[in-house]
Structure formats: C-alpha cells, structure tokens
Amino acid sequence: MSFVPIKDGSDFTFENLPYGVFSTCENPAHRVGVAIGAMILDLSVISHLFTGPELAAHQQVFKQPVLNGLMGLPRAAWIEARSTVKSLLAKENTTLQQDSTLLSKALVPQTEATMHLPAQIGDYTDFYSSIEHATNVGTMFRGKENALMPNWRHLPVGYHGRASSVVVSGTPLRRPRGQTRPADDQPPVFGPCRLLDFELEMAFFYGGGENALGEAVPIERAHEHIFGMTLMNDWSARDIQKWEYVPLGPFTAKNLGTSISPWVVTMEALAPFAVDNYAQEPTPLPYLQHSDPYSFDIELAVALKPDGGAESVVSRSNFRHMYWTMKQQLAHHSVTGCNMRPGDLLASGTISGPEPSSYGSMLELSWRGTKPLTLADGSQRKFLQDGDEVVMRGLCERDGVRVGFGECRGVVLPALTQ
C-alpha cells in the first residue's frame, strides 16, 4: 500500500502509477510526474533518488519537459524507474515521509496541475486493426461480400497521420472546413464538415532506442520498444473523407486533430490484464507471428455531453477486440527498415466490438446516419454537433486490482466563418 491516500474508484492506484507531464501556476515549467490517487509525484524534485544501476547515470531524464528521454532508455530502465517510484511511495518506506520539505514539493494535487502532451511526438501512425470496425465500414460502402479488402487479414493496415495536430485531452477541436461531394452526380463544394465523428482508439508510445534506418524491429523484441498506452480520439470528417480518400487514403479528413489522454499507463502495470490474442485466420507470415498473449482486457466507454447537458454513454467496447496486436503493428511498421524514434505514437484504429452497443464511431453507431442515437436529454445524433463534448474512459479491473487511464475529452467548436 501507499502512504498517499487513494479513494475507492480512483483510476490512479498503487498498481498503476502512470506517467504524465504537468505544470502549475506556481511553477509553469513542464515536468514529469506520476499519478497516485488525487496527487502527482513530481519526479523532477526527486530525480536524485533514482540511484539504481540503470538510472544513476540518467537522472536528468526526470528533469526534462517531456518523457522522450525516459522513453529512449532500455526497457530495463523503465522497469527500474517504476520499481523505484513504487518503493518511494510505499507505506513502509520513510525516505519521503521523513523529509517534510521534500515531500511538500514532490506531491502536487492534480487539481492544481495543468496537463500537457506527455511526449514530443515526432511521427504518428494510425492503424486499422479492429476486424469488426473494418467489416462494418466495408459493408456500408462495398457490401457484405466485399467488406474486407484482400490484404486486411494478412497485414496490419495503417496510414501515416499528422503529429502536429495531436493534442492533449481538454483541448477544444474546431469543426473543419473542406471539400465534399454531397451528391454523386454533382460537382464538389467547399464548406464546413457536416458529418463530424469520433473514433474510439488507444495508442502506444515507442521507446527503447531508435532502430537504424534499414533495420527492422523483430517481433521477438517488439515488447522491448512499447513504453505504455494512452486513450485516443481520432476525430474524423466523414464527408471530407469519403470524397478525398481514393486513391491514397485519409488526408485532411483526419488532420483536424487527434486527442490523447495525458497519462501513459506502462505495460508493466497492464501485464496482469493480458488476455489471449485474437484468433487470426489465415496464420500471418512468420515475421508477424507470436504466441505470447499481448492483447489486454481494457474496458472502454464513450460518452457524449451536449452543451449544457448531461453525459450519455453511447459506446462500451474493449481493447481485447483488436485483431492485430501492438507487437504485430510495430513489427510490420518497421519491417521495411523504417527507423522508429522514442516518442513516436502508434494508434490502434477504431475499436469496435461484435455488438452494436460496442461500435467505436458514430458512423457505425448510427449506421451511416440511418439510425439516430437518442441522448439523455432527448436530443438525437447521427453525427457530432457544435458544442458536443466527447469523453472517453478506459479501465482494467480484476481481483481487486484497478488500473485506469483517466479521461480523454474534447469539445467541438463551430467552424470558422471564413
């Protein structure tokens, strides 16, 4: 147990200890912290206490304004860092408790903190790894018989996104303007997006050192480069996407903004929630094969909150529905020799389950606008309206152990008038 009080139902338990980057009014400098209960342990204040063999010479990573330095260290250093934090927060350890001056500087109430992007994101890749989502979308636009493209079961499909528009939870997103074609027999028009959507996703940060250009990250070592996970909302302009995606795929329909939660939950914290991987047919090529469980039982929920209204949960899904694992995604991403760098963000793609209530986008939940959703205030939605706030949450819970991701929030602002 920790000496820091933790209320029942907290996402940030002693078993979790996620990393984030924060600032305060008293100290506007961005710095690395760990969430514990309602507090943040400021690692920049206690960096001198990381004296283990992996970190004694790298204490400066805890004084940096982003997590890239820590992410760039070997996995052994990540494990040592987590062990050190856990030891310092343990009730029986008096190192912090007996130094009231140090403790008062090191523990910061979350209510006094402003959260920031946890890393400097150099590159961002979005996969398309939920078979239910891919089947649903394919059925809508190509028919049930041709729902999945021929390559889908053979490789993790993905595209390179826009890292500059990845934002931290709480950042408002403006409805984009763009080119659409409302009628197939009419020329395209320019104006505000009419079919704005969310996509329930999760993402992981790459770490453990950069692979050299031309060298792949083998799947046997992929876990050494997966630092931790975060919630993600990949905002999508469906009408813009429909017109522009042929022949090269998503472009401006996806670069309007991508929201992530501020806390990065480590893979060590998630290890107790590992479950069997999705059964894959046909068997992937050897470079994508691994038998160890690397899927996770993470309960996910999406709520819509109209301007001035109450939240309505519109989707409940689970990360275990992913067809392709994170290890397979990383192995495929780098198989050509693509060099990955600490802080790179790799996203799952929309996470949809087998039931309509578990679909991870408005496109699916309203089935292309033919089945409007009714919210708690009686209003209906086919797609997102101005003023709507999307709230995503993730939670692992088993045998009394609870590990949460916090929230990923974003409100829709009206489009610019010119």
Side-chain angles (χ1 to χ4, degrees), residues 4 33 36 40-41 78-79 104 151 164 211 215 243 250 304 324 372 384:
V4 178
I36 176 73
I40 300 174
L41 180 65
W78 307 343
I79 294 173
S104 65
N151 64 350
S164 65
N211 59 307
E215 295 181 2
W243 174 234
L304 285 188
W324 296 102
L384 299 176

Side-chain angles (χ1 to χ4, degrees), residues 172-321:
L173 269 296
R174 189 169 296 281
R175 181 178 297 273
R177 299 189 300 163
Q179 189 176 132
T180 63
R181 193 182 187 188
D184 292 342
D185 59 350
Q186 297 293 323
V189 298
F190 180 83
C193 161
R194 295 173 295 106
L195 308 180
L196 186 61
D197 202 354
F198 66 78
E199 292 192 2
L200 170 63
E201 303 195 21
M202 298 199 74
F204 71 87
F205 280 100
Y206 176 90
E210 181 176 348
N211 59 307
L213 182 65
E215 295 181 2
V217 176
I219 200 160
E220 296 81 10
R221 295 178 54 191
H223 67 285
E224 299 175 8
H225 296 279
I226 300 176
F227 179 80
M229 299 181 67
T230 185
L231 296 170
M232 172 179 283
N233 181 357
D234 182 29
W235 304 84
S236 299
R238 296 299 186 188
D239 44 353
I240 296 174
Q241 182 178 1
K242 179 185 176 183
W243 174 234
E244 76 175 4
Y245 85 102
V246 178
L248 294 181
F251 184 31
T252 65
K254 296 284 191 175
N255 66 15
L256 65 141
T258 302
S259 303
I260 64 172
S261 53
W263 296 107
V264 184
V265 178
T266 67
M267 303 315 297
E268 287 69 39
L270 293 172
F273 305 98
V275 294
D276 290 338
N277 305 325
Y278 201 106
Q280 296 177 333
E281 178 62 38
T283 301
L285 293 175
Y287 80 96
L288 289 172
Q289 294 177 15
H290 71 96
S291 59
D292 57 309
Y294 212 76
S295 186
F296 298 88
D297 184 10
I298 306 173
E299 299 174 5
L300 301 166
V302 183
L304 285 188
K305 184 179 182 298
D307 188 14
E311 286 187 9
S312 299
V313 175
V314 296
S315 173
R316 294 189 184 276
S317 191
N318 196 297
F319 187 72
R320 70 190 305 165
H321 296 313

Side-chain angles (χ1 to χ4, degrees), residues 83-389:
S83 176
T84 301
V85 169
K86 201 163 190 176
S87 174
L88 291 170
L89 289 172
K91 182 174 290 186
E92 61 272 17
N93 190 327
T94 61
T95 302
L96 292 177
Q97 298 179 69
Q98 68 185 2
D99 190 336
S100 58
T101 301
L102 180 63
L103 185 61
S104 65
K105 294 179 180 179
L107 282 180
V108 178
Q110 290 189 32
T111 54
E112 297 179 7
T114 297
M115 301 305 299
H116 306 282
L117 281 177
Q120 182 177 346
I121 302 169
D123 283 296
Y124 155 51
T125 299
D126 195 16
F127 286 93
Y128 190 53
S129 293
S130 163
I131 193 168
E132 300 290 349
H133 175 67
T135 300
N136 288 340
V137 174
T139 299
M140 288 180 207
F141 293 98
R142 293 187 298 275
K144 192 173 183 179
E145 296 75 17
N146 299 303
L148 291 180
M149 299 299 283
N151 64 350
W152 200 93
R153 289 180 180 267
H154 293 273
L155 55 85
V157 174
Y159 71 93
H160 292 290
R162 183 70 182 176
S164 65
S165 55
V166 177
V167 296
V168 73
S169 172
T171 306
L173 269 296
R174 189 169 296 281
R175 181 178 297 273
R177 299 189 300 163
Q179 189 176 132
T180 63
R181 193 182 187 188
D184 292 342
D185 59 350
Q186 297 293 323
V189 298
F190 180 83
C193 161
R194 295 173 295 106
L195 308 180
L196 186 61
D197 202 354
F198 66 78
E199 292 192 2
L200 170 63
E201 303 195 21
M202 298 199 74
F204 71 87
F205 280 100
Y206 176 90
E210 181 176 348
N211 59 307
L213 182 65
E215 295 181 2
V217 176
I219 200 160
E220 296 81 10
R221 295 178 54 191
H223 67 285
E224 299 175 8
H225 296 279
I226 300 176
F227 179 80
M229 299 181 67
T230 185
L231 296 170
M232 172 179 283
N233 181 357
D234 182 29
W235 304 84
S236 299
R238 296 299 186 188
D239 44 353
I240 296 174
Q241 182 178 1
K242 179 185 176 183
W243 174 234
E244 76 175 4
Y245 85 102
V246 178
L248 294 181
F251 184 31
T252 65
K254 296 284 191 175
N255 66 15
L256 65 141
T258 302
S259 303
I260 64 172
S261 53
W263 296 107
V264 184
V265 178
T266 67
M267 303 315 297
E268 287 69 39
L270 293 172
F273 305 98
V275 294
D276 290 338
N277 305 325
Y278 201 106
Q280 296 177 333
E281 178 62 38
T283 301
L285 293 175
Y287 80 96
L288 289 172
Q289 294 177 15
H290 71 96
S291 59
D292 57 309
Y294 212 76
S295 186
F296 298 88
D297 184 10
I298 306 173
E299 299 174 5
L300 301 166
V302 183
L304 285 188
K305 184 179 182 298
D307 188 14
E311 286 187 9
S312 299
V313 175
V314 296
S315 173
R316 294 189 184 276
S317 191
N318 196 297
F319 187 72
R320 70 190 305 165
H321 296 313
M322 300 304 297
Y323 186 91
W324 296 102
T325 70
M326 293 179 285
K327 291 178 65 170
Q328 290 173 319
Q329 290 169 344
L330 178 54
H332 182 67
H333 196 309
S334 66
V335 72
T336 54
C338 173
N339 53 319
M340 313 295 295
R341 294 174 293 189
D344 283 354
L345 189 67
L346 283 71
S348 61
T350 305
I351 304 168
S352 293
E355 302 298 327
S357 60
S358 64
Y359 295 166
S361 67
M362 291 293 288
L363 178 68
E364 296 165 274
L365 290 166
S366 73
W367 204 255
R368 207 178 175 185
T370 63
K371 300 177 181 180
L373 302 181
T374 301
L375 305 184
D377 63 359
S379 63
Q380 291 190 323
R381 294 291 187 279
K382 296 178 181 180
F383 290 91
L384 299 176
Q385 296 183 7
D386 293 347
D388 285 349
E389 184 174 27

